[in-house]
Amino acid sequence: MLLVLALTGLLSVSWWGGKAPAIEPPIKLKIATSTTPLSAPLIIARELELFKPYNLDIELIPLRGGHLCFQAMIQGVADIATSSESVIMFNGFERSDFRLLASFVESDNDLKLLTLNDKQPRSMTQLNGKKIGMVKASASEFFADAFMIIRGHQQQNFHKVFMSPQALGPALLAGDVDAISIWEPFGYKLIEEHGDAIYQYPGKGIYNLSFNLVTSAVNAKLHQQQHANILRALKSAQNFINQHPENAKQIISDYLNISQPELEWAWNDYVFRLSLNNSLISNLHAQARWAIASGTVDAQVPPDFRLLLDDSALKQALDY
């Protein structure tokens, strides 16, 4: 009897050679993630371990801004990056070796145009000939020009002063610039700390920002299945946000080390959904035409952004 059990055990270990099949180790991927609540689906998916069912070991690399995330991806520091469509647009003039996998959140109020409040009525004409601080080749730069155009002041001249997002607030307070174009949460922090000393120009709806996942062209092919599973995990995270908003906000608050009031400041402006559609292409081309007309880029013809879109992983994730 013991001999039979022993033989049965040996046969059950492996049909092919006497060893039990090894458990496949999880696939490790790094995502350069902008430290903004816009990255909420990624953060929640990581904190709730929503990647694990897909045998993925995802490391989030926190960076201050999508422009730095994009650079990290291009340099090979990260496999994937979060990025606004403005960063994608600017880089599309320079290179074609990356792919846009999906948009996962949108906001029409994430960018702010701020100046010092001198208790006088504020007018856009007061910025004529003035210095506006912004982050070069980012949504910050596009928003400043779009604001002027949409408000009917496209003929107004102002001087662009480029700096890091962290430096914009101090530069405004020191008088080195007359206004700044900045994304959240920097705008909130400046207003929270200095209150009535800061004036915010009304700008909701002027610019619809999308936050996207981008990767290299090589990785788009090499890790298509993994990218589809990442998007499935993000879809689950978005469902969690919609079903448990207070729990979701607490997770984001803890992860980013920001207060609940700071998070609430922009939270209701966010639309969490997976997409990759014609409106994004239209937005990219509109921004590219602006970049050419304004002389921001040295080009005559915009890139064909359709060639940079790869919806293979998204189609798998959405099962269509």
Side-chain angles (χ1 to χ4, degrees):
M1 182 64 178
L2 292 174
L3 180 60
V4 172
L5 289 174
L7 289 173
T8 303
L10 286 172
L11 290 172
S12 66
V13 168
S14 174
W15 179 262
W16 296 105
K19 293 184 178 179
I23 299 175
E24 186 177 344
I27 296 176
K28 296 183 177 182
L29 293 174
K30 297 180 180 180
I31 303 179
T33 306
S34 185
T35 51
T36 163
L38 286 165
S39 299
L42 274 171
I43 294 169
I44 287 175
R46 181 69 180 86
E47 293 300 285
L48 296 184
E49 300 186 342
L50 300 180
F51 296 115
K52 280 195 172 182
Y54 302 105
N55 202 35
L56 291 172
D57 180 5
I58 301 297
E59 177 186 350
L60 303 186
I61 303 175
L63 295 170
R64 291 295 188 98
H67 60 305
L68 295 180
C69 294
F70 189 96
Q71 291 175 17
M73 181 271 295
I74 289 296
Q75 294 167 0
V77 176
D79 304 288
I80 302 172
T82 62
S83 168
S84 72
E85 79 287 340
S86 296
V87 173
I88 292 168
M89 180 274 295
F90 279 116
N91 280 278
F93 280 99
E94 303 293 332
R95 58 197 316 137
S96 60
D97 58 348
F98 67 94
R99 295 294 179 266
L100 172 52
L101 301 177
S103 298
F104 61 91
V105 63
E106 300 171 21
S107 172
D108 68 349
N109 198 30
D110 195 67
L111 275 292
K112 305 291 190 298
L113 186 64
L114 305 176
T115 188
L116 294 179
N117 193 352
D118 58 7
K119 305 300 181 182
Q120 300 298 317
R122 307 304 303 182
S123 168
M124 296 299 297
T125 57
Q126 292 174 301
L127 294 178
N128 190 41
K130 302 296 185 179
K131 294 181 289 185
I132 299 181
M134 62 193 70
V135 182
K136 185 176 178 59
S138 74
S140 166
E141 183 176 3
F142 174 73
F143 179 71
D145 277 343
F147 198 107
M148 297 295 181
I149 293 170
I150 292 175
R151 292 298 186 193
H153 298 279
Q154 61 266 38
Q155 303 303 322
Q156 191 161 289
N157 294 317
F158 60 89
H159 305 290
K160 296 181 179 182
V161 181
F162 298 120
M163 60 187 73
S164 71
Q166 297 93 322
L168 287 171
L172 178 63
L173 295 172
D176 296 332
V177 294
D178 301 288
I180 59 172
S181 175
I182 189 61
W183 53 71
E184 297 297 357
F186 293 103
Y188 169 84
K189 290 181 177 178
L190 198 60
I191 293 172
E192 180 192 39
E193 293 174 7
H194 301 280
D196 292 340
I198 304 298
Y199 176 80
Q200 176 183 328
Y201 288 99
K204 181 176 172 62
I206 284 181
Y207 167 52
N208 193 60
L209 175 144
S210 68
F211 227 44
N212 313 277
L213 287 184
V214 293
T215 189
S216 67
V218 172
N219 279 339
K221 293 183 177 180
L222 185 63
H223 292 296
Q224 180 179 317
Q225 185 60 53
Q226 287 74 39
H227 293 161
N229 287 335
I230 288 172
L231 294 177
R232 289 187 177 102
L234 291 189
K235 185 178 179 182
S236 297
Q238 290 169 341
N239 290 336
F240 180 85
I241 292 171
N242 293 329
Q243 295 169 12
H244 309 282
E246 297 308 315
N247 291 339
K249 284 185 281 189
Q250 188 61 57
I251 292 171
I252 301 305
S253 175
D254 293 342
Y255 185 90
L256 294 177
N257 192 28
I258 59 178
S259 67
Q260 283 288 340
E262 179 178 341
L263 188 59
E264 293 284 357
W265 171 263
W267 187 264
N268 290 333
D269 297 318
Y270 298 155
V271 178
F272 298 104
R273 62 186 175 196
L274 291 175
S275 65
L276 199 61
N277 50 41
N278 289 332
S279 63
L280 176 59
I281 292 293
S282 297
N283 198 356
L284 286 167
H285 280 289
Q287 293 190 33
R289 290 193 294 271
W290 156 80
I292 293 171
S294 64
T296 307
V297 297
D298 184 16
Q300 300 300 319
V301 180
D304 187 349
F305 293 106
R306 294 173 299 177
L307 301 178
L308 300 178
L309 269 60
D310 187 337
D311 63 357
S312 303
L314 181 61
K315 285 182 176 179
Q316 287 188 49
L318 300 181
D319 296 322
Y320 67 85

